[in-house]
Amino acid sequence: MSIGMVLLTVVAVLVFFGVAQRVLDKLYLSDRAALVLIALMFFGTLIPNVQIGNVSVSIGGAVIPFGVCVYLLVRAGTAKERVRAVLGALITAGIIYALSHFLPDEPERMLIDPMYLYGLAGGVVAYVLGRSRRGAFFCGVVGVMLADIAVAVVNWSQGINQPLVLGGAGVFDAMMISGILGVLLSELVGEVLERMARGTNPPRESAVSNPVRQKEK
């Protein structure tokens, strides 16, 4: 089982036990909807890819995740958030694409799989640029997908007739790492900031009179 499938399984378990309720609320998803989408992504990868010329599209690895991203973009609170998410995805794609040119040509020389590295880098960049949970997931998933498309377009322009598999195994892993990491960082940092804000602003005393305290005075 690939790391992308493992992450989906872990997320499904967390959703099932109600641990991810706070995050799902921010994403405008119910527990049932989240579990259905995870199942569609999981089993959609078993469906034969849709072939369009030199492009092969995975239903579970590309169509369903992209559909989720479109939904999150539509449900974004403001136009500013939508624009920031789209620009963030483009910048995330550019950074991942640039990173691919600095890595060794032989993956065996690396301590970590390049796709995992792209996913980790994409997740961090998506958190910084996306700001919200919705924006971070959009930037992470769409950013990796756009970077994969950019690599294919450059190869085709150089006469390299290499098929493009949207949502293929390695790319799907990077998309899941990037999107989930972006959301996780947004949630953790958001929680820390909220706790810090509550710590610097102690709760006010109740306005309701307390006869016991008054009597003690």
Side-chain angles (χ1 to χ4, degrees), residues 39-186:
L40 289 175
M41 282 188 279
F42 195 98
F43 293 105
T45 57
L46 305 178
I47 301 175
N49 293 354
V50 177
Q51 193 71 33
I52 307 174
N54 206 27
V55 179
S56 180
V57 183
S58 171
I59 302 299
V63 176
I64 303 301
F66 184 74
V68 174
C69 290
V70 172
Y71 168 78
L72 295 178
L73 188 66
V74 172
R75 292 299 304 270
T78 62
K80 182 179 179 180
E81 183 180 353
R82 298 187 187 96
V83 173
R84 186 171 59 230
V86 173
L87 291 178
L90 293 173
I91 296 173
T92 301
I95 292 176
I96 294 174
Y97 178 81
L99 180 62
S100 66
H101 286 272
F102 289 98
L103 298 179
D105 295 332
E106 299 81 11
E108 295 77 11
R109 295 171 53 188
M110 298 182 58
L111 297 177
I112 183 174
D113 188 291
M115 286 300 175
Y116 297 170
L117 183 60
Y118 299 152
L120 293 173
V124 174
V125 175
Y127 155 68
V128 174
L129 299 176
R131 303 286 290 277
S132 67
R133 282 80 167 174
R134 297 181 295 273
F137 187 84
F138 183 92
C139 290
V141 173
V142 177
V144 172
M145 189 178 297
L146 290 176
D148 188 39
I149 295 174
V151 171
V153 171
V154 171
N155 287 338
W156 293 338
S157 67
Q158 296 175 350
I160 303 174
N161 190 22
Q162 181 177 352
L164 169 61
V165 183
L166 284 176
V171 176
F172 178 73
D173 291 343
M175 288 167 53
M176 291 300 101
I177 294 173
S178 182
I180 293 174
L181 178 60
V183 173
L184 182 61
L185 289 175
S186 298

Side-chain angles (χ1 to χ4, degrees), residues 19 21-23 26 127 131-133 182-200:
V19 179
Q21 185 61 55
R22 174 187 167 95
V23 177
K26 297 292 184 180
Y127 155 68
R131 303 286 290 277
S132 67
R133 282 80 167 174
V183 173
L184 182 61
L185 289 175
S186 298
E187 177 65 20
L188 292 178
V189 175
E191 179 68 18
V192 170
L193 292 178
E194 288 180 11
R195 289 181 179 273
M196 291 175 61
R198 288 197 297 266
T200 56

